[in-house]
Amino acid sequence: MDREQISRHAHADHPIAAPLDDNSVRQLLEHGLSRGAERVLDLGCGGGEWLLRALAMHPQVRAEGVDISRSSLAHARQTAQRLGVEDRLVLHHQDAAHFASSHAFDLVLCVGATHAFGGLLPTLAAARKYLAPGGRVLVGDGFWERDPSPEAVELLGELTDLPTTLERVVKDGWTPVHGHISTRRELDDYEWAWTGSLASWALDHPTDPDSAQALETATTHRDQWLRDYRDTLGFVCLVLRPTRD
C-alpha cells in the first residue's frame, strides 16, 4: 500500500487533511472570500475539499486545484459533479511546486501541504507569484507549542513556536488579517480519525493483502502521536495579505 492509498483510507472520516472542524473551515473561507466572486487556487488540493466548500458557499466563485494524486483529483471531479459545481472547477495533475498559470488568483490556498515547497516561507513565495492585487493567501502549517523532543523533530521537521512563526511571516512581507489556532479537540479529533479510519479499513478487509500493513501503520502513527508530539505540536491557519502589493 503506497502513501496515497494510506492517506485516502486515513481521511475517509475526516476529509479535510488538517486538524480543523467544519466550522473552522467555513470561517477561514469566509475571511478569504470577502467578495464571494473570487478566483481561487489550491496548491496541493488533494480531493479538493477546500475548493468544493468554497464553490458551494459562493455561486460566483471559480476555482482551480493542483495535485500530484490522480485518484484524489478523480474524487474531486466526482464530488464536483454530484454538487453541480464542476463547470466552475479546473483541476491540474502536476507537482504544485512546478505549476504555472496565465492568470492571477484572488485567493491562494495551501493548508497542510507546505512540505511540497520546502516549508512555510517558500510556500508563501510560491503563492505570491499567483496572487492578484488585493488578493489573500490562506496557509496552514504546524508549530511547536512547547520545546519538542528529538523524536518529534525527526518526525515533523524544523518548526518554530507560534510567535516566531508569525514574526517570520510578517518579516517576509505579509500582514495577517485573520487566523485560527486549532484547538486541542480539533487536533485530537484529527488524529483519532486518521488512525481509526485506517485501522477500521484494515479490520473490515482482513483478506486484503494490504490489511496487515494498514493496521501496522495506524498503530505506529497512533503511538508516535501519543508519545512523541501530542503535547508539543500545534497547527495554525493564517489569512494573509501582502503588506505591500
Side-chain angles (χ1 to χ4, degrees):
M1 180 178 289
D2 60 27
R3 182 176 179 179
E4 182 180 322
Q5 291 172 304
I6 289 172
S7 180
R8 183 167 65 253
H9 293 311
H11 289 103
D13 297 323
H14 198 293
I16 293 293
L20 298 158
D21 61 25
D22 287 337
N23 186 56
S24 298
V25 172
R26 179 185 57 78
Q27 290 185 356
L28 285 163
L29 284 173
E30 286 178 347
H31 282 85
L33 301 169
S34 58
R35 295 185 290 107
E38 287 86 350
R39 188 188 293 269
V40 183
L41 172 66
D42 190 343
L43 298 168
C45 67
E49 289 80 15
W50 286 88
L51 298 178
L52 294 167
R53 281 167 168 77
L55 293 168
M57 287 169 61
H58 298 289
Q60 296 183 40
V61 161
R62 304 189 69 83
E64 297 187 33
V66 186
D67 204 272
I68 60 172
S69 170
R70 290 188 184 276
S71 62
S72 293
L73 295 177
H75 176 75
R77 289 189 183 93
Q78 292 170 0
T79 307
Q81 291 172 358
R82 178 172 55 82
L83 296 174
V85 299
E86 70 275 14
D87 60 324
R88 294 185 285 127
L89 177 64
V90 177
L91 298 170
H92 305 272
H93 176 242
Q94 65 180 103
D95 187 335
H98 300 139
F99 175 69
S101 176
S102 60
H103 52 259
F105 296 85
D106 305 297
L107 175 65
V108 179
L109 297 102
C110 186
V111 178
T114 59
H115 57 274
F117 300 92
L120 178 57
L121 295 187
T123 299
L124 294 177
R128 192 186 290 270
K129 296 187 301 184
Y130 309 113
L131 203 61
R136 302 182 178 202
V137 171
L138 170 50
V139 64
D141 203 13
F143 67 91
W144 297 130
E145 290 191 330
R146 52 187 60 83
D147 291 340
S149 66
E151 293 81 6
V153 174
E154 183 177 356
L155 282 169
L156 301 171
E158 297 288 345
L159 305 174
T160 63
D161 60 32
L162 186 56
T164 302
T165 298
L166 268 293
E167 179 181 319
R168 291 180 176 180
V169 168
V170 171
K171 188 177 293 186
D172 196 47
W174 300 91
T175 297
V177 295
H178 184 66
H180 174 77
I181 300 170
S182 293
T183 65
R184 169 57 61 193
R185 179 174 180 176
E186 286 176 308
L187 289 159
D188 284 353
D189 283 352
Y190 175 72
E191 296 288 359
W192 282 122
W194 200 103
T195 57
S197 297
L198 185 58
S200 291
W201 180 88
L203 296 174
D204 289 341
H205 300 82
T207 62
D208 191 289
D210 291 325
S211 178
Q213 179 194 353
L215 189 58
E216 181 182 0
T217 300
T219 300
T220 299
H221 185 111
R222 184 177 61 248
D223 188 60
Q224 290 173 333
W225 161 50
L226 293 173
R227 293 182 182 277
D228 296 333
Y229 65 86
R230 179 176 182 263
D231 294 327
T232 57
L233 179 67
F235 194 85
V236 62
C237 287
L238 301 169
V239 180
L240 305 171
R241 295 181 60 182
T243 304
R244 301 173 191 83
D245 283 326

